[in-house]
Structures are given as structure tokens and as C-alpha cells.
Amino acid sequence: MTTNWQVVAGAPTLPPLYWRAATRRKITGSVLPDDGLRAWLNVDAQAVAAYRKVCGFTENGLLPPTYPHVLAFGLQLQLLTAQSFPFPLLGLVHLANRIRLLRPLGGLSRVQASVHVQNLQPHAKGATFDLITRLDDALGPLWEAESRMLCKGVKLAGEPPEPLVQDPQDIDEVSRWWAPTEIGRQYARVSGDYNPIHLSALSARLFGFPQAIAHGLWIKARTLAALSGHLPSSNLEIAVQFNKPVRLPSEVILLASAAGSSGDLQLKGHRALQHMHGHWQPLA
């Protein structure tokens, strides 16, 4: 599929996009658009520092490996609320996320972010697609990611692909932490992502959740912050699948392989409930 790139002058204004998301509730088609968005964005040191604090990263001169999602969030929101996009944003479920660190994320003040969608596939509960995000600087590609999203209720021909199941090898407890009630609101303030299911029990109940749940990208960020001494700073792929949501408040336990170029991780909760599992490895 050839992407029709549209260049955007800076980060989009978020409130009109949230209004557009709130007023679109119907599935309008079953074909992904060919459109993509690109923009040069400034890296704000104060915003990065606030993000580090909420997600548990220490200052090491590099952008946190999950921070490009925050930089590109406005472009993602603009793409997923465009008239040509067939699925309503509210109700999309984040199933998995894969990040590739191509080069160290240091010394950055201005980067180009690109977003597009691809890989529409049938799923037992609807259809999935991949939201692709990429960061470049003047020297070329820096970072890329794919977020697999589920839209329930979409009807596509064909059989859903078989899920790939990998058993983690030789993992031990690395860390544990408390996910407090207010973490959804704290993450929203540093990311711009004000999804109601993360903000409070009251707003989460409007969407069928008995309690607010932690944002998946906060879960991944907090995990990578805890593993910062385990992982290389570049030439690295980190893929996770989100399982059961982390209800707020609750304690979570991180298990992982020993430090090295590759390994497995799991995030568990009360009574060994699995919230997330994944793997890191060098780029091919």
C-alpha cells in the first residue's frame, strides 16, 4: 500500500480532535485509508522531565524509549479522527505495542514524526489494524513503533490469524510498584491522552469498566523505566502484548530475564493475574 503523505505544520490542537472523537460513534466502513501525516516537532525539555517523573525514568541524557508516542500523539489523534478513518476512536482496544530503537535518542531538540495505519485483519471480536509511528531527525530514522488496535464489531472476510504464544524463559522478580488511583490523570497531563477509562471510576463506568484502568503505554513506560539497567539504549526491539487491564489502584509485579541483549518480561498483579508479557531482542 502506498501512503499519501500530508505534511502538517506542527502539533495539532487537541480539543477539537477530542470533540470529533466524542461525536463519532459509528463504524463507517471496512477499508483503511491510505493517508499518513508528517510534522516537524520540537522536543520540550520541561515536558520530557514531567513525563520522566510520572513514568519513573531517571535523567540519563536520552529521551525515554516510550516518549516518542507522546510527541506524536496529536498526529495519531488527527489521523484516527479523520473523516476517511472508518472506525470510532472511542472503544478501540490497544492489544499490543512494538518499539524499535534504531539509534540512541540523545541530543534531540527537533524531530519529524510520521503516522499511518496498515495491516487490517479479521479478529474473533472484530478487526485489528496497526498504527505505525516513526521518528526521524536530520540524519534519518531514529525510532519506530506499531500499536495493534482492535475495533469490535467490524465484519471482515477470512479467518483470524493464530496468535503466537511464547513461554517466558528464566524470569525472576525485578521490581514491584503501586499503581495509584490518580496515575491515569497524571499520565493524561503529561501525554495529552485524556481517555475517560483511565481518569476516574465514574468516567470509566460510562464505558463498562467497574474501575479506572491504567493506560497501556504508562504500563509499558513504567516497566521499561524499571528495566533501564537491563536494556541497551539502541539497536533494540521491545514488543509487548497487553492482557488483563491494571485496575486502579493496585500493586503490580515485574518479572524479567537477566540483563542482556535479549530476554522476556511479564507484569503480574493480584493472584498472579497477567497484565502484560513481552520480549526484547536486538534488531535484525
Side-chain angles (χ1 to χ4, degrees), residues 269-284:
H270 183 60
R271 295 181 180 175
L273 182 68
Q274 183 165 277
H275 296 301
M276 183 180 75
H277 71 280
H279 181 76
W280 73 88
Q281 64 186 16
L283 294 174

Side-chain angles (χ1 to χ4, degrees), residues 205-221:
R205 287 190 197 108
L206 297 176
F207 294 88
F209 293 89
Q211 298 168 251
I213 62 173
H215 197 294
L217 287 176
W218 177 79
I219 292 293
K220 185 171 185 179

Side-chain angles (χ1 to χ4, degrees), residues 22-100:
T23 54
R24 289 189 57 191
R25 298 298 181 92
K26 294 182 179 180
I27 296 169
T28 58
S30 57
V31 177
L32 295 178
D34 297 336
D35 303 321
L37 299 176
R38 280 180 174 155
W40 283 94
L41 305 172
N42 296 320
V43 179
D44 184 289
Q46 290 185 334
V48 176
Y51 178 85
R52 282 196 183 100
K53 184 176 181 181
V54 169
C55 298
F57 289 102
T58 57
E59 168 60 74
N60 64 354
L62 302 174
L63 285 185
T66 47
Y67 189 72
H69 279 295
V70 172
L71 275 177
F73 176 69
L75 290 178
Q76 294 172 348
L77 194 61
Q78 182 171 338
L79 184 72
L80 297 181
T81 57
Q83 183 119 21
S84 59
F85 188 72
F87 310 140
L89 180 61
L90 290 178
L92 291 181
V93 181
H94 196 175
L95 298 181
N97 177 266
R98 182 187 307 272
I99 287 174
R100 298 180 183 91

Side-chain angles (χ1 to χ4, degrees), residues 44-244:
D44 184 289
Q46 290 185 334
V48 176
Y51 178 85
R52 282 196 183 100
K53 184 176 181 181
V54 169
C55 298
F57 289 102
T58 57
E59 168 60 74
N60 64 354
L62 302 174
L63 285 185
T66 47
Y67 189 72
H69 279 295
V70 172
L71 275 177
F73 176 69
L75 290 178
Q76 294 172 348
L77 194 61
Q78 182 171 338
L79 184 72
L80 297 181
T81 57
Q83 183 119 21
S84 59
F85 188 72
F87 310 140
L89 180 61
L90 290 178
L92 291 181
V93 181
H94 196 175
L95 298 181
N97 177 266
R98 182 187 307 272
I99 287 174
R100 298 180 183 91
L101 290 161
L102 307 176
R103 290 189 282 124
L105 300 178
L108 300 175
S109 59
R110 187 168 172 80
V111 293
Q112 185 186 59
S114 308
V115 298
H116 69 284
V117 291
Q118 64 182 34
N119 194 28
L120 187 65
Q121 294 188 11
H123 185 276
K125 296 182 179 180
T128 62
F129 66 92
D130 294 336
L131 173 63
I132 307 298
T133 307
R134 176 171 155 169
L135 233 61
D136 294 72
D137 66 1
L139 298 178
L142 275 167
W143 176 100
E144 58 188 28
E146 61 187 49
S147 294
R148 179 144 300 171
M149 312 299 293
L150 167 67
C151 182
K152 296 180 179 180
V154 180
K155 304 297 183 183
L156 293 181
E159 293 296 320
E162 289 292 328
L164 179 62
V165 179
Q166 292 181 326
D167 292 327
Q169 303 295 319
D170 300 323
I171 60 173
D172 297 297
E173 182 176 333
V174 172
S175 180
R176 61 174 64 200
W177 62 84
W178 184 254
T181 302
E182 64 273 11
I183 195 61
R185 296 186 293 276
Q186 292 174 354
Y187 184 77
R189 285 193 288 271
V190 298
S191 69
D193 190 342
Y194 284 86
N195 189 324
I197 66 175
H198 306 307
L199 301 181
S200 70
L202 180 62
S203 59
R205 287 190 197 108
L206 297 176
F207 294 88
F209 293 89
Q211 298 168 251
I213 62 173
H215 197 294
L217 287 176
W218 177 79
I219 292 293
K220 185 171 185 179
R222 185 66 183 82
T223 295
L224 296 188
L227 290 175
S228 58
H230 272 58
L231 307 177
S233 61
S234 65
N235 191 41
L236 181 68
E237 177 179 280
I238 313 157
V240 301
Q241 293 186 44
F242 301 112
N243 307 118
K244 298 295 184 180

